Amino acid sequence: PITPGELLCLGSSLAFSGLFYYLYRKKARVMARIQEAPKLQVDDDLPALVSAADGRCLPYVVLEGIVLPAKAALTSHYHEGLQGVIQKLLLKEHRLIWNSLAQSW
């Protein structure tokens, strides 16, 4: 005979397994969209392409092009000829959702 404690453990195990599988599939779909993102060049056509896009937004694109430093490029102390720049502006949009339990956004 199966005890109620065993049924509770089995049920909670199945529930957690379903939850984690759902989260895994959701993240896998996002990763697939990122990997299939179109590659665009940074050139004079890019502003027109963004303006023509739905909602003036391009979801998941790869931008390729030459980056020029504002002052001087950073050089690596460990690898000869390796240079880099620091990104000055990063735009992150967060969607506000009302949390009724905490009574906050």
Side-chain angles (χ1 to χ4, degrees):
I2 299 175
T3 63
E6 290 173 339
L7 284 177
L8 179 67
C9 289
L10 178 65
S12 63
S13 175
L14 289 174
F16 280 122
S17 295
L19 173 68
F20 291 138
Y21 183 72
Y22 167 75
L23 293 174
Y24 165 76
R25 294 298 303 159
K26 186 176 177 182
K27 296 299 178 184
R29 282 192 298 270
V30 170
M31 286 302 301
R33 285 187 63 197
I34 290 173
Q35 289 175 347
E36 296 170 355
K39 293 182 180 179
L40 303 175
Q41 295 293 326
V42 177
D43 55 8
D44 296 333
D45 298 333
L46 187 60
L49 185 64
V50 172
S51 296
D54 185 34
R56 298 184 53 138
C57 179
L58 297 172
Y60 298 123
V61 295
V62 177
L63 293 177
E64 296 177 341
I66 297 174
V67 177
L68 299 175
K71 294 182 182 173
L74 302 172
T75 57
S76 174
H77 296 287
Y78 304 107
H79 299 285
E80 290 281 327
L82 187 63
Q83 294 184 340
V85 295
I86 296 176
Q87 183 176 358
K88 285 192 170 192
L89 175 65
L90 176 64
L91 177 64
K92 234 181 189 181
E93 295 183 20
H94 295 281
R95 190 174 71 180
L96 293 176
I97 299 174
W98 177 254
N99 185 348
S100 61
L101 183 63
Q103 298 293 318
S104 66
W105 287 100

